[in-house]
Amino acid sequence: MSQVKNDLTKLMEIDANLTIRLLIENVGSLPTEKVLTQLEMYPKLQMAYLNSLFERNEGEEFVDFAIKLYAENEPPLLLPFLRKTAVYDIAKAIDICEKKQYINEMVYLLGRSGNRMKALDLLVNKLGRIDSAIDFCRENDDCDLWNSLVDAAMKRPDHITELLNTAGKYINPLNIIEKVFFLSLHYSVFCSFSLACIISMNFFLKS
């Protein structure tokens, strides 16, 4: 292993897969910390090495570092990694994603950490994904979440329509109608008429 220790970067460039396999099989001779240090200029090689380590159910203490690597070098692979990995510092992961403005990843992490209201807010107000917000509320089966979603939907008629069309089993349409008519008092006659038409049409379709 002395040759591997001395020429690790060169060996990686020649045959990364073979070198990683040798490193994993001889982790006692060349600790993970030293490997990562020698590969610090090659983050994707660091990721490849760590992934091989994780596949052997080893290297759990480096998961947080791997999340940072994914966020900085392979953003599309970050969310799948977060979903399949059981143990990591969620607060650190949220901080990384917040700085990078990775909204989908933040929604997942906030939901996993129990901060579902903030996750819902991101879905509705940052992503504008009422469909994903409805799915999120279904998955969590929380009355407070549904109530918050209804309140948020009042800002957009198309969101009201989507709610009435897809979430009728989970929320009382009459509650939505009451909220809309209450809010319509503060809008123009045209706006009130438009909202009333939306409600009437959906109510008719569901009757």
Side-chain angles (χ1 to χ4, degrees):
M1 286 296 292
S2 59
Q3 186 68 24
V4 174
K5 292 180 183 179
N6 296 331
D7 300 308
L8 181 56
T9 302
K10 291 181 181 179
L11 289 171
M12 281 285 199
E13 291 173 350
I14 295 171
D15 192 329
N17 291 331
L18 177 59
T19 305
I20 288 172
R21 193 182 75 190
L22 288 172
L23 291 170
I24 296 296
E25 291 175 353
N26 295 275
V27 69
S29 301
L30 189 55
T32 299
E33 294 92 337
K34 290 187 177 180
V35 173
L36 294 174
T37 298
Q38 290 193 38
L39 295 176
E40 63 183 347
M41 300 301 293
Y42 304 89
K44 291 190 177 182
L45 291 179
Q46 288 179 319
M47 291 164 59
Y49 168 72
L50 286 175
N51 282 332
S52 295
L53 202 63
F54 298 151
E55 287 173 3
R56 293 165 57 99
N57 295 317
E58 298 176 13
E60 185 179 291
E61 65 272 29
F62 298 100
V63 171
D64 292 331
F65 179 64
I67 290 172
K68 183 173 181 290
L69 288 174
Y70 274 109
E72 293 177 350
N73 301 281
E74 291 285 359
L77 300 180
L78 176 57
L79 185 55
F81 181 75
L82 292 171
R83 289 184 182 278
K84 74 178 182 181
T85 306
V87 180
Y88 50 85
D89 189 321
I90 292 182
K92 286 183 180 178
I94 290 174
D95 184 59
I96 289 170
C97 293
E98 192 167 18
K99 288 176 180 175
K100 297 284 187 180
Q101 283 297 290
Y102 294 159
I103 304 301
N104 286 314
E105 289 78 4
M106 286 179 64
V107 168
Y108 172 74
L109 291 167
L110 288 166
R112 182 169 170 177
S113 69
N115 196 347
R116 293 188 290 270
M117 286 296 183
K118 187 172 181 181
L120 181 65
D121 178 70
L122 289 175
L123 282 170
V124 176
N125 296 314
K126 280 284 188 179
L127 296 179
R129 292 294 304 273
I130 189 69
D131 54 338
S132 297
I134 290 170
D135 289 339
F136 184 77
C137 289
R138 282 175 179 157
E139 290 169 6
N140 288 280
D141 193 24
D142 186 317
C143 290
D144 290 336
L145 278 179
W146 282 114
N147 289 334
S148 293
L149 180 57
V150 170
D151 289 340
M154 293 299 106
K155 300 173 185 177
R156 289 180 52 175
D158 57 322
H159 283 182
I160 297 171
T161 303
E162 185 79 11
L163 267 179
L164 288 168
N165 282 335
T166 61
K169 293 181 180 179
Y170 304 91
I171 53 178
N172 185 350
L174 291 177
N175 291 340
I176 298 178
I177 293 171
E178 289 175 0
K179 286 179 180 289
V180 170
F181 276 114
F182 175 79
L183 290 174
S184 70
L185 297 175
H186 302 280
Y187 291 91
S188 66
V189 174
F190 175 78
C191 182
S192 300
F193 177 76
S194 299
L195 291 173
C197 285
I198 291 171
I199 294 169
S200 299
M201 180 178 64
N202 282 279
F203 190 79
F204 174 78
L205 290 173
K206 290 180 178 293
S207 61

